[in-house]
């Protein structure tokens, strides 16, 4: 049964219907209050959920210890394989008495008589021209890189130049066997003068040895002395230097000793 509601100023349901649908038939002010409370609750819930979700997204990941790295050798260089000649070689072999095994600043290993002095000068090809000289100022050893395609061609070209020296006398120009198994050739001669050397009033004895080293490059070892000096002194100087020579950026075993 519908009745006229004086408060709402409208016809409404009966009292029984209003008892089962109380929220629907609240007065307007109470409905507005209920709606406002509901909106506040929903807003608070939405803000709380958003803050929780944002905090969960930005939460730092669990700590994981960094991976262990191999220790770095402070003496090693990237992409590099230069031998430590004095250390690795001397551990298994020693040079002849009176000789020292050196790591030259140009990167190669060499054995020269103890007490000899070193000097170098720029070269037009490859490493600098390095010279070790004895106390007498005459005996010396030169080391440099050659650009010719073969050791034989390099020796032939050198012989053509040196044959113009005063008092030049050829002993031989020939291919020889290199300790490494690679190609080699040498020019042995005497002369009364040497290019770039002051007149000393002596006859020089020279062994000019050209070879292919372990790195595939061609090098020269030139031993200088005097014809009146100790027999085979230049041969010993050259053979010792070649036995211990190791080119730059190359790992070489120490020579076998008897």
């Amino acid at each position: 049964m519908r009745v006229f509601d004086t408060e709402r100023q409208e016809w409404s349901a009966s009292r029984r219907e209003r008892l089962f649908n109380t929220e629907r038939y609240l007065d307007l002010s109470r409905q507005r209050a209920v709606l406002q409370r509901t909106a506040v609750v929903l807003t608070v819930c939405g803000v709380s959920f958003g803050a929780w979700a944002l905090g969960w997204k930005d939460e730092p990941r669990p700590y994981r210890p960094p991976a262990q790295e191999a220790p770095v050798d402070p003496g090693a260089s990237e992409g590099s394989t230069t031998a430590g000649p004095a250390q690795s070689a001397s551990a298994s072999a020693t040079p002849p008495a009176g000789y020292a095994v050196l790591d030259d600043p140009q990167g190669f290993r060499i054995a020269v008589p103890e007490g000899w002095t070193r000097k170098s000068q720029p070269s037009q090809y490859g490493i600098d021209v390095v010279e070790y000289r004895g106390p007498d100022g005459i005996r010396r050893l030169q080391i440099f890189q050659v650009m010719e395609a073969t050791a034989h061609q390099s020796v032939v070209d050198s012989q053509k130049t040196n044959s113009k020296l005063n008092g030049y006398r050829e002993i031989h120009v020939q291919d020889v066997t290199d300790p490494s198994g690679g190609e080699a050739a040498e020019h042995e001669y005497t002369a009364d003068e040497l290019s770039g050397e002051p007149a000393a009033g002596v006859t020089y004895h020279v062994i000019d040895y050209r070879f292919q080293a372990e790195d595939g490059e061609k090098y020269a070892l030139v031993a200088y002395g005097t014809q009146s000096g100790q027999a085979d002194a230049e041969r010993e100087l050259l053979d010792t230097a070649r036995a211990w020579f190791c080119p730059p950026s190359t790992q070489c075993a120490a020579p076998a000793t008897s």
Side-chain angles (χ1 to χ4, degrees):
M1 177 179 179
R2 297 177 60 83
V3 295
F4 185 80
D5 189 335
T6 57
E7 185 177 10
R8 290 173 171 269
Q9 293 295 307
E10 64 180 2
W11 290 95
S12 62
S14 65
R15 178 178 179 82
R16 179 180 179 83
E17 183 178 354
R18 289 198 299 270
L19 288 176
F20 286 97
N21 298 278
T22 55
E23 292 183 0
R24 179 180 176 184
Y25 294 98
L26 291 176
D27 58 77
L28 292 176
S29 60
R30 292 178 65 187
Q31 283 191 29
R32 293 191 186 97
V34 171
L35 291 175
Q36 288 175 355
R37 285 195 298 270
T38 301
V40 170
V41 171
L42 291 176
T43 301
V44 172
C45 290
V47 172
S48 299
F49 177 81
W52 173 82
L54 182 62
W56 173 81
K57 180 179 180 181
D58 294 339
E59 183 180 358
R61 297 179 179 178
Y63 172 78
R64 293 182 180 178
Q68 296 295 323
E69 297 182 356
V72 177
D73 180 5
S77 60
E78 187 173 347
S80 170
T81 57
T82 305
Q87 298 87 349
S88 61
S90 61
S92 58
T94 56
Y99 282 79
V101 179
L102 306 176
D103 291 326
D104 189 89
Q106 285 295 303
F108 59 81
R109 180 185 72 192
I110 196 75
V112 298
E114 295 175 343
W116 282 28
T117 58
R118 178 193 183 277
K119 71 175 183 179
S120 64
Q121 60 183 5
S123 173
Q124 294 181 350
Y125 180 79
I127 64 173
D128 289 352
V129 177
V130 178
E131 179 180 278
Y132 287 91
R133 188 180 291 261
D136 63 3
I138 295 178
R139 293 193 69 209
R140 60 192 172 110
L141 177 72
Q142 278 190 342
I143 306 100
F144 53 93
Q145 196 168 343
V146 299
M147 62 186 300
E148 288 81 8
T150 65
H152 177 85
Q153 184 60 51
S154 183
V155 160
V156 169
D157 291 348
S158 176
Q159 190 274 338
K160 290 179 180 178
T161 300
N162 292 319
S163 65
K164 300 175 184 178
L165 296 171
N166 290 335
Y168 170 83
R169 289 175 293 277
E170 178 186 315
I171 298 176
H172 65 245
V173 177
Q174 62 186 23
D175 293 338
V176 295
T177 302
D178 186 75
S180 69
E183 63 168 313
E186 71 176 26
H187 171 212
E188 186 174 1
Y189 64 97
T190 61
D192 295 336
E193 67 169 351
L194 291 178
S195 178
E197 291 291 296
V202 300
T203 299
Y204 295 99
H205 176 221
V206 183
I207 305 176
D208 185 349
Y209 184 82
R210 314 283 171 114
F211 63 101
Q212 179 175 300
E214 288 80 354
D215 62 350
E217 299 292 333
K218 313 299 189 302
Y219 295 86
L221 293 172
V222 189
Y224 298 86
T226 62
Q227 189 178 35
S228 60
Q230 182 181 357
D232 295 329
E234 285 68 63
R235 179 62 62 185
E236 178 188 87
L237 176 61
L238 177 64
D239 289 348
T240 303
R242 176 61 192 105
W244 286 89
F245 180 80
C246 184
S249 301
T250 305
Q251 183 71 43
C252 304
T257 56
S258 56

